[in-house]
């Protein structure tokens, strides 16, 4: 029991580290840049001019191709890793202001964010090292292998359901403005609070739509035994473009994702860390 308390105390001290806070706040800036580039790629898909993946890995490759791009990509990776560590500590010992089920829910959400930030940090590191092919091809290859294994199609379908559920969750999270509870609203002017609310709502809803469509495509791939449909966010954005008014809808999604990118910049200043 004393060992557990000691571990929690150590984790709590680490979570309160000034350096970790600064790195995490810098990570939000990097996360915002990635989403702005992601939005730009989505706009290119909307108007038929994209030559790269319309997802975060494509955004990182676009960043890598710029002057000092390699340095910026590894800086983004370090920031995202700091964000992952911060959220892992929050999942372990954080959210002490909440009680009961509310604290359990928040800690589970932090565990989910840890996974997301680790994935993007690893993606940034791979882009920095010029490793592998594009993410859409990698996902298609992985899905194809899973489908040939025993029970693989069920696993792919389950992954699609999880991804679709995340999409629905993001839409609800944005629509009810739950993100505001994590901001230092007392330090924000009324205009800044209003801006953060609008950007957060648009950003989370747009991301939820993109993830939800991606999850549905993975489910369809599992049902129809068609790995080509399970190509992640890139395929989701292309599928959206092919619908009636698809260019208009995809443009709205791209603008929403851009809003999330700007919202990340506000989080770097006002997020409770």
């Amino acid at each position: 029991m004393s060992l557990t308390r000691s571990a929690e105390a150590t984790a709590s001290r680490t979570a309160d580290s000034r350096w970790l806070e600064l790195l995490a706040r810098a990570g939000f800036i990097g996360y915002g840049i990635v989403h702005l580039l992601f939005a730009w790629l989505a706009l290119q898909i909307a108007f038929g001019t994209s030559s790269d993946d319309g997802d975060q890995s494509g955004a990182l490759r676009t960043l890598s191709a710029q002057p000092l791009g390699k340095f910026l990509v590894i800086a983004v990776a370090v920031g995202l890793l700091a964000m992952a560590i911060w959220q892992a500590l929050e999942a372990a010992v954080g959210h002490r202001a909440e009680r009961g089920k509310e604290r359990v829910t928040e800690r589970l959400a932090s565990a989910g964010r840890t996974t997301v930030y680790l994935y993007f940090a690893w993606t940034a590191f791979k882009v920095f090292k010029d490793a592998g092919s594009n993410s859409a091809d990698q996902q298609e290859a992985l899905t194809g292998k899973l489908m040939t294994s025993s029970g693989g199609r069920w696993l792919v379908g389950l992954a699609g359901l999880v991804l679709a559920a995340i999409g629905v969750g993001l839409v609800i999270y944005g629509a009810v403005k739950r993100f505001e509870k994590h901001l230092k609203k007392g330090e924000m002017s009324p205009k800044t609070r209003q801006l953060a609310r609008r950007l957060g709502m648009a950003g989370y809803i747009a991301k939820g739509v993109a993830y939800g469509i991606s999850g549905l495509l993975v489910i369809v791939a599992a049902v129809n035994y068609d790995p080509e449909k399970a190509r992640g966010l890139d395929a989701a954005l292309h599928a959206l473009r092919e619908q009636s008014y698809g260019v208009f809808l995809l443009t709205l999604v791209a603008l929403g994702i851009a809003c999330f990118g700007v919202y990340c910049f506000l989080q770097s200043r006002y997020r409770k860390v």
Side-chain angles (χ1 to χ4, degrees):
M1 199 69 168
S2 60
L3 184 61
T4 301
R5 284 197 296 269
S6 176
E8 289 183 349
T10 301
S12 181
R13 285 195 300 271
T14 304
D16 293 334
S17 166
R18 178 62 176 166
W19 281 107
L20 181 60
E21 178 184 345
L22 291 174
L23 284 172
R25 293 195 184 282
F28 276 116
I29 295 175
Y31 203 44
I33 291 171
V34 169
H35 278 81
L36 287 177
L37 290 171
F38 178 21
W40 172 244
L41 292 176
L43 277 176
Q44 289 183 306
I45 290 173
F47 294 100
T49 60
S50 176
S51 60
D52 208 339
D53 280 358
D55 60 10
Q56 290 89 342
S57 68
L60 286 164
R61 283 195 297 275
T62 299
L63 180 61
S64 179
Q66 308 309 308
L68 299 178
K70 291 283 189 179
F71 169 78
L72 293 173
V73 167
I74 201 63
V76 167
V78 171
L80 289 169
L81 181 60
M83 292 169 70
I85 294 171
W86 159 52
Q87 283 298 301
L89 292 169
E90 287 286 279
V93 297
H95 303 291
R96 291 185 288 271
E98 285 83 13
R99 293 290 182 270
K101 291 183 179 179
E102 182 71 16
R103 189 185 184 200
V104 172
T105 300
E106 289 295 338
R107 291 174 74 177
L108 288 173
S110 286
R113 294 187 194 105
T114 300
T115 303
V116 171
Y117 296 149
L118 278 176
Y119 171 75
F120 288 133
W122 174 242
T123 300
F125 179 74
K126 287 198 298 181
V127 169
F128 175 76
K129 297 289 289 183
D130 287 324
S133 58
N134 67 53
S135 62
D137 288 341
Q138 290 174 347
Q139 181 163 339
E140 183 182 337
L142 177 60
T143 303
K145 288 181 181 178
L146 278 174
M147 285 187 179
T148 59
S149 64
S150 177
R153 288 175 69 182
W154 287 101
L155 288 175
V156 172
L158 179 60
L161 284 172
V162 171
L163 194 55
I166 290 172
V168 172
L170 286 171
V171 170
I172 295 172
Y173 191 82
V176 302
K177 301 182 285 292
R178 190 174 178 83
F179 55 87
E180 287 188 306
K181 69 179 293 184
H182 297 296
L183 298 176
K184 298 177 180 178
K185 291 188 289 185
E187 298 180 11
M188 304 167 75
S189 68
K191 287 186 177 180
T192 303
R193 284 199 299 272
Q194 185 179 55
L195 177 63
R197 181 179 297 118
R198 290 176 177 175
L199 290 172
M201 288 181 68
Y204 279 109
I205 290 172
K207 285 188 66 175
V209 169
Y211 278 98
I213 295 172
S214 181
L216 289 175
L217 289 177
V218 172
I219 294 170
V220 170
V223 172
N224 296 334
Y225 198 77
D226 185 2
E228 288 189 6
K229 291 189 179 296
R231 293 172 60 87
L233 288 173
D234 181 67
L237 297 180
H238 279 91
L240 183 58
R241 184 183 184 277
E242 293 169 4
Q243 307 309 308
S244 300
Y245 306 104
V247 173
F248 173 73
L249 294 173
L250 184 50
T251 299
L252 286 181
V253 170
L255 292 175
I257 292 169
C259 286
F260 185 83
V262 178
Y263 175 70
C264 286
F265 297 152
L266 287 176
Q267 285 194 93
S268 72
R269 169 64 177 84
Y270 295 108
R271 175 74 186 228
K272 297 174 183 177
V273 177

